[in-house]
Amino acid sequence: MSAHNENNKDVLSKIHEQIVKDQNNDSTQTGAFPMVKSRTKRISLDAKTTRARLYSSILVTVLCALLGFSYAIQVNNTTSTYETMSEDELTKLISETSTQVQKLEQRKNELSSQLNALKDTADKNEKAAEIARQNAQTNGILSGRLAATGEGVVIRISQGDKQKIDAAVLFTLLEELRNSGAEVIEINNVRVVTSTYISDASNGLVCDGTKLKAPYTIRAIGDVDNLQNAVNLAGGVGSRLKVKYGATVSVDPSDRVTIKSTRQAPQYTYAHVVGQ
């Protein structure tokens, strides 16, 4: 019993001594006190950070839930729009929709008609433009304003040994070529047109004011066989040139005869288009 009491006294003595030491340490400015105090602050800051993160997580979760709820309500409202309408409202809606569809279909037909009309007009304008181009080319070739190329013949005539070739025989040759279907004719780089003339001069021939000298070269575009027959026909102008004038006449057919000479369009003083 006495031993037990002694042990209790020893324990109480040790506790008292420890309390005295702790009090002395609290009143002493040592490096241990700031370290304990600083550790206390770090623990406090960590706790505040943890609480802030927890509150943020909770807030984000609540916002997401609210957004999801709002979206669900909106979808449900959109889905149930027609379900909440009355029969009269639905009938009116269907009628209005049918009317709009009819108006759109009518507008579509109107636009299609306008488009077809524009296409027809464009086709007509294109056709008229094509005809105008063709006429311009034809008139340009016939009037001598444009160069031309095509199949035909090249005729070469030398000066006669018996007598000089006169204007009458060459003019006759040109007329025979025209009558045989020559579309374009050129003689010594002078374009032959409807008003072309050939006259005799003291030192040769004159064609539309341009002097012609032998040998004479005539290019004609047209059907090759018809043009050859016009020159080589027995008793024709080709034979007369050979027999009467003593000239040599050659006719060379070609798939491509090019006539480059051109004429200015004539200015008419007295002739006018009917209706002007």
Side-chain angles (χ1 to χ4, degrees):
M1 186 72 176
S2 60
H4 180 68
N5 291 331
E6 289 179 358
N7 290 334
N8 289 336
K9 290 180 180 180
D10 291 338
V11 172
L12 291 175
S13 298
K14 291 180 180 181
I15 292 173
H16 179 69
E17 290 176 359
Q18 185 64 37
I19 291 172
V20 173
K21 289 180 180 180
D22 291 339
Q23 289 177 353
N24 291 331
N25 288 333
D26 289 342
S27 61
T28 304
Q29 300 297 328
T30 63
F33 181 75
M35 289 177 63
V36 173
K37 190 174 183 180
S38 175
R39 187 180 300 113
T40 303
K41 285 187 177 180
R42 282 203 299 271
I43 294 173
S44 177
L45 290 174
D46 291 341
K48 289 182 179 179
T49 303
T50 302
R51 284 196 299 271
R53 289 179 179 177
L54 178 61
Y55 294 154
S56 299
S57 299
I58 294 173
L59 180 60
V60 170
T61 303
V62 172
L63 289 176
C64 290
L66 290 176
L67 288 174
F69 182 70
S70 300
Y71 179 74
I73 292 176
Q74 184 177 0
V75 171
N76 291 331
N77 289 337
T78 303
T79 305
S80 62
T81 298
Y82 297 114
E83 296 178 355
T84 58
M85 295 178 66
S86 64
E87 183 177 354
D88 292 338
E89 291 175 340
L90 288 173
T91 302
K92 182 179 179 181
L93 179 61
I94 294 172
S95 177
E96 291 177 353
T97 304
S98 300
T99 302
Q100 291 178 358
V101 170
Q102 292 176 358
K103 289 181 178 180
L104 291 175
E105 189 68 25
Q106 182 179 1
R107 183 56 179 166
K108 174 187 174 182
N109 295 333
E110 292 176 357
L111 292 176
S112 298
S113 299
Q114 293 177 0
L115 180 60
N116 293 331
L118 290 174
K119 288 181 178 179
D120 292 341
T121 303
D123 293 340
K124 291 179 180 178
N125 291 338
E126 185 177 356
K127 184 66 175 179
E130 180 63 24
I131 293 174
R133 284 193 296 269
Q134 293 177 356
N135 291 337
Q137 291 178 356
T138 301
N139 293 334
I141 291 174
L142 293 177
S143 63
R145 293 183 294 105
L146 300 176
T149 185
E151 67 172 88
V153 296
V154 178
I155 306 168
R156 294 177 177 85
I157 305 171
S158 67
Q159 185 60 272
D161 294 338
K162 298 179 180 179
Q163 67 180 68
K164 291 182 178 182
I165 297 176
D166 54 27
V169 69
L170 280 184
F171 189 80
T172 302
L173 177 58
L174 296 181
E175 288 299 311
E176 290 293 337
L177 292 173
R178 283 175 174 171
N179 294 336
S180 298
E183 297 176 351
V184 184
I185 302 174
E186 176 188 69
I187 179 170
N188 281 24
N189 297 323
V190 177
R191 184 71 169 266
V192 177
V193 293
T194 55
S195 60
T196 292
Y197 68 90
I198 299 177
S199 61
D200 295 313
S202 57
N203 55 350
L205 302 176
V206 175
C207 178
D208 292 343
T210 300
K211 292 182 179 181
L212 301 178
K213 293 183 179 181
Y216 306 106
T217 301
I218 300 174
R219 293 180 175 84
I221 296 176
D223 183 85
V224 173
D225 294 334
N226 291 338
L227 297 179
Q228 282 182 310
N229 292 333
V231 180
N232 296 329
L233 184 65
V237 65
S239 298
R240 194 158 64 247
L241 284 168
K242 295 176 182 179
V243 174
K244 180 178 179 179
Y245 296 93
T248 58
V249 180
S250 65
V251 182
D252 299 321
S254 175
D255 293 334
R256 186 178 182 85
V257 176
T258 301
I259 297 177
K260 297 181 179 180
S261 60
T262 57
R263 300 284 291 269
Q264 295 293 329
Q267 299 294 327
Y268 297 100
T269 303
Y270 302 101
H272 301 282
V273 178
V274 176
Q276 292 186 351

